[in-house]
Amino acid sequence: MSQPSVLAALLSGLRSGAIEVVDLTSPLSSQTPVIRLPEEFGQTQVFELEEISRYDDRGPAWYWNNFRTGEHTGTHFDAPNHWVTGKDLADVASVPASRLIAPAAVLDFSAAAAEDPDFLVEVDHIKAWEAEHGPLPEGGWLLLRTGWDARSHAQEEFLNADENGPHTPGLSPECARWVAEESPVIGLGTETVGTDAGGAHSFDPAFPCHSYLMGNDKYGLTQLQNLAELPATGAVVIAGPLPILNGSGSPARVLALVERS
């Protein structure tokens, strides 16, 4: 008797609940927090729905909308060409589909971020995690859990800014360089509004996660939810950005497959 195929086994696991699908996506609405830049720079668009028809004289049997938003609104995917260091690299439509499904390592710094919203992950933190859990996955994602998704219901609380700028956790410049240039992962995922820490505007280089990751043909996933439901290792992430030609990124539905015993 032939053995079941790998895909049949996957479907069986999903149906039985042995494999759980965890949604890592923040719903898109006009209340979704967006990054706020200094006034002299261009600003991203808050998500807006424009009703076309709703079972009325504009369309008696159908409901649909136009929507307007920025590429980097809500849970979204950063392509290499998002940053000047990757300007000659791939747009979001050119990201190989095979790289949109990848294993994940989840590093939990929620306790440290609760004590210090400016907490920065250093290379030694990652090395300590690897000593306990094994190496970061080849071709996978490094997902940074900070508990920041609990703030996603409110713009001000999520950005956590004062007269000195935002205060949110992230990677140190040296750690960002290491992740981009020396680690085997394809990208960094965060619960915050961007891949960089809130104070990264004053780092050297400024916004090092963007600068190093994009310049090394790696990716970003931001405003993730529910990382607390993932194990440290073993989850598989499915990231689904829109393939926007010449786009620098896209809102994305991001799912994780988790094997439950």
Side-chain angles (χ1 to χ4, degrees):
M1 188 173 182
S2 63
Q3 295 295 315
S5 72
V6 172
L7 289 178
L10 172 63
L11 289 173
S12 176
L14 290 169
R15 289 169 181 154
S16 70
I19 298 174
E20 180 184 358
V21 180
V22 180
D23 198 344
L24 306 183
T25 315
S26 177
L28 273 175
S29 75
S30 60
Q31 303 305 308
T32 298
V34 297
I35 194 167
R36 191 177 291 155
L37 301 180
E39 292 181 1
E40 62 267 28
F41 297 118
Q43 305 295 326
T44 193
Q45 171 68 43
V46 173
F47 184 84
E48 292 181 357
L49 274 184
E50 176 194 24
E51 188 174 279
I52 302 172
S53 68
R54 192 180 181 98
Y55 326 120
D56 52 29
D57 55 5
R58 300 169 297 169
W62 52 91
Y63 166 56
W64 57 340
N65 303 287
N66 293 316
F67 67 85
R68 182 170 185 248
T69 194
E71 295 173 326
H72 300 266
T73 299
T75 303
H76 64 271
F77 188 102
D78 291 347
N81 71 335
H82 175 44
W83 212 250
V84 64
T85 51
K87 65 180 181 178
D88 297 320
L89 300 177
D91 65 7
V92 71
S94 302
V95 175
S98 60
R99 300 190 93 185
L100 299 177
I101 304 175
V106 183
L107 282 64
D108 184 2
F109 298 104
S110 55
E115 290 186 7
D116 178 10
D118 291 311
F119 172 77
L120 297 178
V121 178
E122 302 289 353
V123 176
D124 284 349
H125 290 120
I126 299 179
K127 295 290 189 181
W129 183 93
E130 288 185 309
E132 180 178 357
H133 299 286
L136 295 175
E138 184 78 34
W141 288 96
L142 190 165
L143 302 183
L144 190 63
R145 184 188 165 210
T146 57
W148 217 256
D149 56 339
R151 297 169 172 255
S152 63
H153 61 282
Q155 170 87 9
E156 301 304 324
E157 187 176 352
F158 193 66
L159 297 187
N160 196 37
D162 59 18
E163 64 276 6
N164 298 313
H167 298 275
T168 61
L171 304 187
S172 74
E174 174 55 26
C175 189
R177 187 207 61 77
W178 184 88
V179 169
E181 297 180 1
E182 299 186 39
S183 85
V185 300
I186 60 170
L188 171 69
T190 68
E191 297 168 330
T192 49
V193 74
T195 53
D196 272 294
H201 54 84
S202 60
F203 291 177
D204 184 17
F207 305 104
C209 287
H210 283 81
S211 182
Y212 289 128
L213 286 168
M214 309 295 100
N216 283 275
D217 199 27
K218 293 190 176 183
Y219 314 124
L221 285 175
T222 73
Q223 287 184 249
L224 297 172
Q225 302 268 310
N226 302 320
L227 293 184
E229 298 182 28
L230 305 188
T233 64
V236 174
V237 167
I238 303 171
L242 299 172
I244 303 169
L245 288 174
N246 300 315
S248 70
S250 167
R253 189 73 180 262
V254 183
L255 308 174
L257 303 182
V258 179
E259 191 170 359
R260 302 300 190 192
S261 58

